[in-house]
Amino acid sequence: MWRKGEKVDGLLLFHGSRPGFFCINEINKSSLRISTSVCEFVSFIKLKIFRPSAILGNMEQQDLIKTYLSEIMGSCKPQFDLYENLLLNANQHINLTSITKHEDIVSKHFLDSLLAESFIPQGASVADVGSGGGCPAIPLKIVRDDLSFTLIEATGKKCLFLESVVDKMSLSGVEVLNMRAEDAGKSVKHREAYDVCCARAVAPLNILAEYCLPLVKTGGIFIAYKGDAAEETETARNAVSILGGSFEGIHPFTLPDAQGCRTVLVIRKVHSTPAKYPRANGKVKKNPLI
């Protein structure tokens, strides 16, 4: 009997924290049972892991949303309440968010941030580019303490806020980095150093990809949070390929109470990013890859 996160013959059994959303294939002469916590195998020969980016359907997506809301409003509520208070108090002095109503913060910040949680491997190192007010990193850290985060933010005042959140919420394994994303992508310490890079920034996907993919290890993933992403996904395909990525999953979600639609884009890093990327001195925005 094996539990979530254990290794079998050197393979990680589960790649996230939602066991119900994993598919295991290529098992010969075996019996398999998937429950909420345990998988049992008998006499297996070959094991291949399929990440949830390939298998989430509408029903699974709605189940995930219900699960995350139960965490936000239930078991993790004290931490989310504390984070909300810190965010709103600081927002009076620093421009962190235009969303200030409690129900909107829950849906458009907290729930939205958690939509990518099931795609993040257990124990992953995660870079959050353009952290701003701390989403998605802080909500993800609240529900996934196994993850370590580097919050990359170019604005000094926002970094001071993020550092205060980390301190007041006693979050371990969270570093705040006051640096531009293109500079981090060129540094020896941060280039291709992370299992996952995520971004909720409003920049077009081809620009975000140049900021984020250089930070991801080969074999890791870049997760982009978007609204309606169909058009810019097509526009960014060549840029993503140039930077070493390949689209692995495009996942639309409908937020509850008519709060809008969101898309989680999962891009696999299939080869190393060419050394000339990311470009410096504003060239990423001025002359985006097409």
Side-chain angles (χ1 to χ4, degrees):
M1 181 179 291
W2 297 276
R3 296 187 180 276
K4 180 184 68 178
E6 290 186 3
K7 291 188 176 182
V8 181
D9 284 356
L11 294 174
L12 186 63
L13 190 57
F14 288 141
H15 279 258
S17 68
R18 301 285 175 258
F21 299 99
F22 295 82
C23 177
I24 301 174
N25 201 359
E26 295 190 16
I27 302 173
N28 300 324
K29 298 181 180 179
S30 67
S31 62
L32 168 66
R33 184 180 74 201
I34 297 180
S35 69
T36 58
S37 61
V38 177
C39 283
E40 293 184 3
F41 300 88
V42 177
S43 176
F44 69 88
I45 295 178
K46 187 175 181 182
L47 180 69
K48 181 176 180 181
I49 303 297
F50 286 82
R51 294 172 179 83
S53 55
I55 61 173
L56 282 185
N58 290 334
M59 186 64 69
E60 289 89 351
Q61 291 171 359
Q62 293 307 310
D63 286 344
L64 275 179
I65 287 175
K66 291 177 183 178
T67 299
Y68 295 143
L69 283 174
S70 70
E71 291 178 324
I72 294 168
M73 306 304 293
S75 59
C76 298
K77 189 175 187 300
Q79 285 182 291
F80 278 107
D81 285 348
L82 174 56
Y83 176 40
E84 180 179 349
N85 289 333
L86 293 171
L87 180 66
L88 292 178
N89 287 338
N91 198 54
Q92 298 177 41
H93 312 287
I94 312 169
N95 182 23
L96 296 171
T97 179
S98 61
I99 299 170
T100 56
K101 291 183 179 180
H102 170 70
E103 58 271 22
D104 291 339
I105 289 174
V106 168
S107 185
K108 294 182 179 180
H109 278 329
F110 298 165
L111 175 59
D112 182 73
S113 293
L114 297 183
L115 293 178
E117 181 274 335
S118 65
F119 307 116
I120 302 177
Q122 194 80 13
S125 57
V126 185
D128 179 15
V129 167
S131 291
C135 291
I138 301 301
L140 285 169
K141 181 64 179 178
I142 289 173
V143 303
R144 290 284 303 277
D145 192 47
D146 62 286
L147 303 177
S148 61
F149 285 90
T150 298
L151 280 54
I152 302 173
E153 171 58 49
T155 304
K157 289 183 178 180
K158 292 180 180 179
C159 287
L160 291 175
F161 164 71
L162 293 170
E163 288 171 349
S164 72
V165 169
V166 172
D167 179 58
K168 292 175 181 177
M169 295 187 67
S170 301
L171 300 176
S172 61
V174 180
E175 175 189 7
V176 178
L177 182 64
N178 188 189
M179 184 180 286
R180 298 176 67 87
E182 57 266 46
D183 294 332
K186 286 289 189 181
S187 72
V188 174
K189 181 178 179 181
H190 300 285
R191 185 177 179 86
E192 300 195 330
Y194 298 94
D195 301 308
V196 178
C197 182
C198 58
R200 287 177 83 224
V202 296
L205 183 59
N206 55 338
I207 292 175
L208 277 183
E210 189 168 351
Y211 288 142
C212 295
L213 277 170
L215 297 166
V216 181
K217 299 174 182 176
T218 300
I221 55 173
F222 161 40
I223 298 175
Y225 292 75
K226 289 290 182 179
D228 184 358
E231 183 175 345
E232 66 176 292
T233 297
E234 288 306 312
T235 302
R237 283 192 182 276
N238 186 56
V240 167
S241 178
I242 289 171
L243 295 163
S246 175
F247 282 92
E248 185 168 279
I250 301 173
H251 306 283
F253 289 87
T254 301
L255 297 177
D257 302 321
Q259 293 278 12
C261 297
R262 298 292 288 164
T263 305
V264 175
L265 303 174
V266 180
I267 296 171
R268 181 70 54 183
K269 181 79 169 280
V270 294
H271 63 76
S272 185
T273 301
K276 67 179 180 179
Y277 302 110
R279 293 164 294 163
N281 302 320
K283 291 182 180 178
V284 177
K285 287 185 177 180
K286 291 177 182 177
N287 299 294
L289 293 172
I290 56 174

